[in-house]
Amino acid sequence: MAAPEHPRMSDVAHRAGVSLSTVSRALRGAPGVSPAVRARVERAAAELSYVVSRDASSLVTGATGRVAVIVPFLRPWFFGAALAGISPELRAAGLDMLVYEVGDAEALDGYVQALPLRRNVDAVIAVSLDLDDRETKQLDDIGVPVVYCSQRAEGRPSVFIDNVAAAAAGTRHLLNLGHRRVAYVQSRDETGFSWGSLHRRDGYLQAMAEAGAEPLVVTDRAGQRGGAAAMARLLGAPSPPTAVFAESDDVAFGALAVLRRSRVPVPEAVSLLGFDDNDVAAVLDLTTVAQPVHELGAEAARLTARLLRGTADRAEHLRLPTELVVRRSTSVPRTSPGMHLHSHTDLRGRQ
Amino acid sequence: MAAPEHPRMSDVAHRAGVSLSTVSRALRGAPGVSPAVRARVERAAAELSYVVSRDASSLVTGATGRVAVIVPFLRPWFFGAALAGISPELRAAGLDMLVYEVGDAEALDGYVQALPLRRNVDAVIAVSLDLDDRETKQLDDIGVPVVYCSQRAEGRPSVFIDNVAAAAAGTRHLLNLGHRRVAYVQSRDETGFSWGSLHRRDGYLQAMAEAGAEPLVVTDRAGQRGGAAAMARLLGAPSPPTAVFAESDDVAFGALAVLRRSRVPVPEAVSLLGFDDNDVAAVLDLTTVAQPVHELGAEAARLTARLLRGTADRAEHLRLPTELVVRRSTSVPRTSPGMHLHSHTDLRGRQ
DNA sequence: CTGTTAGCGCTTTCAT
DNA sequence: ATGAAAGCGCTAACAG
């Protein structure tokens, strides 16, 4: 049970009958090694199942071969999807992925202060961190490129969606079906509104204004809880909306639960629109504004790799498209013919 | 824009007016440094916002301070939950988390062959990899401790649940409500059955046998698709079951979709039981056997840390408890009084 | 308690 | 095309 000391490069050199530097060159695919010798070295390495120590090479090259992915939380659907997009792209570029879950804004602050990443990664991908200017500047101090994923950061590489336009399009879907009383449910937690939340609301307001419809924004906690509470309030309003646009699918689920419990048929009495297109949305047949989370991650990773190769702009911006996924939670309103449709067709058939 | 060279330990030493080794000791919290000097060194380091290079220390200590977490996929709910359990525990132990998504069994094979982890991590946590004996042995060759999370590996540290007992308990829940025709839906993909699948089925068979009830096992593809197909077949059986136990929540959702589409009331006509208790289960009010995924991850991480400190057994096993979460998708069967209940109470109230 | 001296396992000039 | 030698930034004996 004595530690089976792993072979070092000198072992390979010895076995192949060449020098250390030749092994180094051969294994890295560096030029200046004759095919014959290269093959011999490779065989020797394989026979010993030799693996280079990245620590040792990093020490001299200065590159670690690692990129840190910082996420606020690991559990929500969103981050699994983003990481799934990032991981293969990083791997393809020969980079390892370190994942750090930093928690809410406050925890992030302490984390960034300590700069533990400095000198220990080649780049960092910040996923949906919702940073303000000051925090963004702090991240700059890490001293390696920081790529923003699902957040737009001025003057820095970022990959994101146009929340304003996406939300406006979603709102117009409802408006075009004939709805006039369209409510928007937004959420805020202890640390305030997220950028996404704000931008989506702006898109909603913009579309409502363009249609000359009276906006109705309800704010509550985040998640299903908040959605449920908001929907309850909406149900008790003087003139309840015929359509509800929830900031996120999750909020929509909370609203949907209240609607079901109240025996309010969806979409007959109330149309419900979400945002995200998470896994649950399909199961619950929720119409939603889909954002390409996997792609957001993949693009961020590719951008990171290019940055590291020096073939990308230090401030490159990538805006990815969103898409309205129409399912069965939205339809023309029950009582009025659609503004732009000529018959009151129930898209869903009888319940 | 010249690279702002990061300070090295010698810079700190110079600024603090001490030697290199003193700085090293002070910064690592090693003994043998006077409080005064230690403070001086720490101040100097802070002023320079100095961060040690792990690569350099690793080179000499032999420990990398990193553990690899290997998962087949990143996207499914399960892995986000597991990583969320692992991450903070690793961090608490001063370890960084590298995440590798290896894909299905075949890809894993190639991955393990290459041993890229060798010499580059201190330990690896294999999450739900569903390895057979040969593959497990291959992993041993990495040369560092491998902790199995959500899989039992004989003779190796592992954290898992008792799928047999959990499935038996779930089955008994259905039996005790008065169901006799209880079907079990299992899934298999191209690479065959998973261990979890097999064990859960065994638990089901065992409980059915004990109750003297005729088992009915249906096999189909994995995921919602499979659940839907299996349910469709069940609905066309000579004498359809009054209760269905799905191998996983996801499979249950597929079944549920078919049930809804067919206007078969759940649980009135068919009770449905899942396994996992994923996020969606709560939204859909699915009764399910909950497994503590977050805890599974956390325990695996803690075990890893202990192993690295040398304070854990090389073959320590941790069996975590599962729990039946009763929601509204299961009830006594419609037509017969419950075996162990005296009235035919509809637990759900009128639909 | 503090400083000096060797390396850790690689990559990289610089020779040959 | 290949080899010899000099470090990369740190830790770990070993002295003092």
Side-chain angles (χ1 to χ4, degrees), chain B residues 31-305:
Chain B
V33 181
S34 71
V37 174
R38 188 180 297 270
R40 191 141 46 90
V41 170
E42 267 158 5
R43 199 160 49 74
E47 285 165 359
L48 296 169
S49 49
Y50 168 80
V51 179
V52 307
S53 157
R54 269 208 163 155
D55 288 323
S57 7
S58 297
L59 193 52
V60 27
T61 62
T64 64
R66 272 169 252 134
V67 357
V69 177
I70 307 186
V71 299
F73 301 103
L74 242 11
R75 200 150 195 177
W77 153 89
F78 185 94
F79 300 99
L83 288 180
I86 293 171
S87 171
E89 294 298 333
L90 247 28
R91 176 102 61 99
L95 297 163
D96 282 337
M97 178 173 81
L98 280 163
V99 178
Y100 296 92
E101 184 189 36
V102 294
D104 57 25
E106 209 165 341
L108 171 63
D109 232 64
Y111 184 72
V112 169
Q113 297 282 5
L115 295 175
L117 263 28
R118 198 172 210 169
R119 305 179 72 199
N120 290 312
V121 296
D122 293 341
V124 358
I125 298 178
V127 182
S128 204
L129 244 32
D130 225 55
L131 306 174
D132 60 27
D133 252 35
R134 187 183 56 78
E135 297 167 321
T136 304
K137 287 205 179 91
Q138 281 192 0
L139 270 191
D140 288 341
D141 286 340
I142 295 179
V144 297
V146 177
V147 175
Y148 292 83
C149 177
S150 190
Q151 182 186 345
R152 178 177 185 144
E154 285 317 322
R156 296 163 184 90
S158 30
V159 183
F160 50 85
I161 60 166
D162 186 338
N163 277 301
V164 178
T171 306
R172 278 195 299 270
H173 165 65
L174 264 9
L175 255 10
N176 289 344
L177 284 173
H179 293 276
R180 297 296 294 173
R181 298 203 306 283
V182 178
Y184 179 77
V185 179
Q186 69 180 347
S187 75
R188 66 176 300 172
D189 57 13
E190 317 71 46
T191 56
F193 291 105
S194 71
W195 291 113
S197 184
L198 257 21
H199 292 153
R200 289 173 197 176
R201 188 204 51 199
D202 288 348
Y204 158 80
L205 291 176
Q206 184 181 303
M208 290 296 274
E210 276 166 11
E214 196 63 40
L216 171 55
V217 175
V218 182
T219 306
D220 212 287
R221 281 176 300 170
Q224 293 179 31
R225 295 277 200 66
M231 193 66 234
R233 284 158 59 198
L234 248 15
L235 250 19
S239 110
T242 62
V244 175
F245 186 1
E247 170 190 296
S248 71
D249 288 347
D250 214 34
V251 168
F253 299 143
L256 186 57
V258 166
L259 253 11
R260 281 196 177 164
R261 226 170 286 142
S262 313
R263 301 275 188 278
V264 175
V266 174
E268 288 78 5
V270 174
S271 280
L272 188 59
L273 175 62
F275 199 120
D276 276 348
D277 194 25
N278 71 22
D279 296 337
V280 193
V283 181
L284 291 186
D285 246 341
L286 179 73
T287 297
T288 192
V289 179
Q291 60 168 326
V293 185
H294 186 276
E295 270 311 301
L296 245 17
E299 287 296 352
R302 277 187 223 121
L303 179 49
T304 304

Side-chain angles (χ1 to χ4, degrees), chain A residues 177 265-269 271 328 330-334 341 343-351:
Chain A
L177 283 173
V266 174
E268 288 77 6
S271 281
R328 311 218 312 212
T330 52
S331 73
V332 294
R334 173 190 266 162
L341 296 171
S343 67
H344 178 173
T345 308
D346 185 346
L347 296 173
R348 197 187 177 197
R350 65 182 201 83
Q351 159 76 334

